[in-house]
Amino acid sequence: TPYDYIVVGAGPGGLIAADRLSEAGKKVLLIERGGPSLGWTGGNYTAPWLAGTNFTKFDIPGLFESMFTDSNSFWWCKDITTFAGCLLGGGTAVNGALYWFPTTQDFSTAAGWPSSWNNADPYTAKLKARVPGTDDPSTDGKRYLEESFNVMTQLLTPQGYTNITINNNPNFKDHAYGYSAFSFINGRRAGPIATYYKTAVARKNTVYFDYTTVLNVVRNGSQITGVQTDNPLIGPAGFVPLNPKGRVVLAAGTFGTARILFRSGIGPSDMISLVQADPVAGPMLPPQSQWINLPVGYNVSDNPSINLVFTHPTINDYDNWADVWTDPPAADVAQYIKNQSGVLASASPRVNFWRAYSSPDGRTRWLQGTVRPGAASVTTNYPYNASQLMTITAYLSTGITSRGRIGINAGLTATILQNPWFTDPIDKQVLLQGLNDIISTVPLVPGLTMITPDNTTTLTNYVNTYPASNLNSNHWVGSCQIGAVVDENTKVKNTNNLFIIDASIIPSLPTGNPHGMLMSAAEQAVAKVLALSGGP
Ligand code: 6FA
Ligand code: ABL
């Protein structure tokens, strides 16, 4: 069966695209390489203490930290060298779900958007109607493990910070702090899966195929005729054709979409040459005369982030989340199963804060802080109480100038080619300034001790020797950015009918963790695709 639209990837970008296209009556095929995630989607990755429920690891917000410590972590894409979710929901099935509505500047021309994109408000409103977000995710309206909020109030108030409900004031991102907000609904992981996916697959004109990988688009010059998959059940030899006026929407993520383009003969020639040398992928390429040279993979960004670890006598770090998957506290399990309330109804973050910095180059850069009980790692020569850990992660947010490059290696694994962090020394200088400010009021908070870094090093030295890979924030954007690779309708340049709707089109990082802003961008993108003449 030929389709009007083939959407590749069921992450936040793809799910919003598939939902809005099918809502408009188009015949849509949504293809996802991974399997189900949440229990009601068919997911079955569960634990003995969940017997008799349909909750999986992905449903329960409190299991978030165990994503990084589980030995059976089948959900990470094995052919991408950074964390990326390869299952229904993509990153939003496994991420921390911190959820921020975009600021005005997130879609500004200064941030790299065409002027036709500057008013994101109507699209953010559409998103909000589907995923309202919450900063008190437990269904009983109580807050759990909130001790770090008090500690942060004592730390940040003397620095001039104001406590706000963050998503009520998206543009107030200077000296602002508040409770962490999430895309959870009714105490469960929700995001685009419980909303857009749910309505998209309920429509008769939507077909969903999972466990199916798109290898490349098939094209005749600039005209895409269909997609080549690895699944013979989907079409002859895995090929799925488009209607004559049909379109393909790539939504495979910053790394995944770039790889599909390379394998379709679109991108820098060094990347396509690696595909050409591959015995399986090479023969699928169009002839070299049809290669389309675009800067796919260049100018990507990710927030550089640095952890500071503290202890405070009031903090309960929930045993540093160590047994939360294998052996969680029975009372918390009972409470969660009963009505999705309690500690397990939230992911680990508790507090977020922002501050703006003017920089020596005249730009403004924003710092974002995320505070959680527990710590991913502790390096210290101090004796410390391991049940009282608290981590502040400081991200350099909007305004960073550093950029890197991603691509593929000879094995066609998607990977970082040039690290995107601190290529501009001013980014490092501003983040270091931010860290110094954060700790400037530690002496004013009785009992608060910074244990990593400890007194054997200076903060400057800590930052200078921070392992590059630990700077990774998992917020990759920009491998197919708007203006360079796609036009203002998100159409891949020099093609007639190939579009991209995922984090790869975002030209620079938004002011907070990106999935809220990305979903607003996806609402806007799909509206532009539907409005563009010439389609089905
Ligand atoms: N963003 C936030 O806003 N808040 C957070 O707290 C947050 N936390 C994390 C986090 O803890 C981790 C570990 C990671 C990895 C990311 C986090 N992010 C957070 C970032 C956020 O999740 C991402 O920015 C967001 O998910 C990006 O959305 P995209 O739509 O651009 O791409 P995805 O990778 O989510 O989805 C791509 C989908 O395509 C996947 O389902 C994948 O399986 C599928 N796919 C890939 N290649 C394919 C192919 N060839 N064929 C078929 N399907 C394919
Ligand atoms: C995000 O936006 C980041 O991408 C994640 O890295 C972050 O989670 C979540 N949000 C929550 O703030 C952290 C975990 O809390 C750490 O335990 C883990 O070591 C780290 O991700 C790995 O990158």
Side-chain angles (χ1 to χ4, degrees):
T1 352
Y3 292 90
D4 295 330
Y5 282 90
I6 300 174
V7 178
V8 180
L15 292 176
I16 291 176
D19 186 48
R20 295 302 183 192
L21 293 168
S22 60
E23 180 187 49
K26 311 300 176 189
K27 191 161 182 1
V28 175
L29 171 65
L30 174 61
I31 304 179
E32 165 56 42
R33 65 182 286 183
S37 48
L38 307 182
W40 66 266
T41 70
N44 60 6
Y45 189 54
T46 185
W49 52 273
L50 287 169
T53 77
N54 82 336
F55 295 119
T56 66
K57 186 187 193 86
F58 310 107
D59 288 273
I60 305 181
L63 297 178
F64 165 64
E65 287 296 336
S66 78
M67 299 293 174
F68 303 100
T69 51
D70 191 317
S71 54
N72 175 29
S73 52
F74 61 88
W75 51 87
W76 302 124
C77 310
K78 304 306 176 206
D79 54 9
I80 298 179
T81 59
T82 65
F83 286 128
C86 267
L87 73 175
L88 173 57
T92 63
V94 295
N95 69 11
L98 286 170
Y99 182 60
W100 317 114
F101 294 120
T103 66
T104 306
Q105 64 167 3
D106 286 345
F107 285 99
S108 65
T109 307
W113 291 94
S115 57
S116 54
W117 280 73
N118 292 165
N119 182 14
D121 291 350
Y123 307 102
T124 303
K126 292 178 92 172
L127 169 64
K128 218 183 268 192
R130 304 298 294 272
V131 186
T134 176
D135 69 6
D136 61 340
S138 174
T139 58
D140 59 6
K142 294 189 189 145
R143 300 180 192 280
Y144 293 81
L145 292 186
E146 281 301 341
E147 300 81 8
S148 52
F149 191 86
N150 271 330
V151 174
M152 291 310 295
T153 298
Q154 294 175 65
L155 190 73
L156 297 178
T157 305
Q159 295 176 37
Y161 280 75
T162 305
N163 175 20
I164 61 163
T165 300
I166 296 163
N167 275 337
N168 287 353
N169 269 305
N171 283 330
F172 186 174
K173 288 286 192 305
D174 186 14
H175 289 87
Y177 80 103
Y179 290 112
S180 300
F182 303 95
S183 57
F184 302 141
I185 299 175
N186 296 333
R188 304 180 194 197
R189 185 181 291 276
I193 311 171
T195 53
Y196 295 95
Y197 169 76
K198 193 171 199 172
T199 48
V201 290
R203 292 190 187 99
K204 291 202 170 62
N205 52 321
T206 306
V207 174
Y208 179 59
F209 259 86
D210 62 2
Y211 294 118
T212 302
T213 300
V214 168
L215 305 174
N216 55 273
V217 302
V218 179
R219 62 190 178 89
N220 183 3
S222 53
Q223 186 70 22
I224 315 305
T225 56
V227 300
Q228 179 62 48
T229 76
D230 65 351
N231 185 356
L233 299 176
I234 205 172
F239 175 72
V240 193
L242 273 180
N243 277 329
K245 292 168 87 182
R247 293 166 166 172
V248 171
V249 176
L250 297 180
T254 290
F255 288 86
T257 288
R259 173 169 42 204
I260 293 170
L261 291 175
F262 302 147
R263 294 188 62 161
S264 309
I266 301 171
S269 59
D270 59 349
M271 294 290 104
I272 305 177
S273 297
L274 290 171
V275 176
Q276 198 174 29
D278 183 87
V280 176
M284 318 281 269
L285 277 175
Q288 190 154 357
S289 60
Q290 291 189 15
W291 292 5
I292 298 172
N293 181 19
L294 290 171
V296 177
Y298 283 96
N299 291 307
V300 296
S301 37
D302 174 54
N303 304 111
S305 60
I306 301 248
N307 290 328
L308 304 175
V309 185
F310 301 81
T311 57
H312 189 273
T314 62
I315 298 280
N316 168 4
D317 70 13
Y318 212 54
D319 198 17
N320 203 10
W321 309 90
D323 300 326
V324 72
W325 174 238
T326 51
D327 186 23
D332 293 339
V333 170
Q335 183 182 357
Y336 186 81
I337 290 175
K338 187 169 161 229
N339 61 4
Q340 290 79 63
S341 69
V343 177
L344 295 177
S346 179
S348 55
R350 288 297 182 276
V351 183
N352 285 88
F353 61 93
W354 281 268
R355 177 166 173 175
Y357 284 90
S358 52
S359 320
D361 58 3
R363 291 173 65 88
T364 303
R365 286 169 172 78
W366 274 256
L367 176 124
Q368 178 191 341
T370 298
V371 184
R372 72 170 182 94
S377 76
V378 175
T379 308
T380 194
N381 68 342
Y382 300 155
Y384 66 97
N385 186 331
S387 57
Q388 299 176 347
L389 296 169
M390 177 185 97
T391 300
I392 301 179
T393 305
Y395 298 85
L396 194 64
S397 162
T398 306
I400 65 172
T401 41
S402 295
R403 295 290 186 272
R405 185 183 178 198
I406 64 107
I408 51 174
N409 62 24
L412 308 189
T413 288
T415 189
I416 304 167
L417 298 177
Q418 263 164 30
N419 285 338
W421 315 283
F422 296 158
T423 58
D424 181 346
I426 298 178
D427 283 344
K428 190 192 229 179
Q429 198 180 324
V430 175
L431 185 51
L432 179 61
Q433 176 66 49
L435 291 165
N436 273 302
D437 288 338
I438 289 169
I439 65 167
S440 64
T441 48
V442 170
L444 303 181
V445 187
L448 184 64
T449 309
M450 183 164 74
I451 60 168
T452 304
D454 59 22
N455 64 359
T456 61
T457 184
T458 61
L459 204 49
T460 306
N461 196 42
Y462 181 64
V463 170
N464 281 336
T465 57
Y466 209 74
S469 62
N470 292 0
L471 293 168
N472 191 338
S473 293
N474 312 305
H475 295 166
W476 298 87
V477 299
S479 62
C480 304
Q481 60 189 259
I482 199 157
V485 174
V486 299
D487 68 14
E488 64 183 319
N489 294 306
T490 75
K491 185 162 71 67
V492 177
K493 292 183 173 186
N494 299 319
T495 73
N496 300 334
N497 54 342
L498 181 60
F499 295 80
I500 301 178
I501 303 183
D502 61 22
S504 71
I505 66 170
I506 297 176
S508 56
L509 287 158
T511 316
N513 316 59
H515 90 291
M517 181 272 190
L518 163 61
M519 291 200 282
S520 171
E523 283 276 17
Q524 182 160 186
V526 70
K528 286 174 167 39
V529 171
L530 277 166
L532 185 68
S533 61

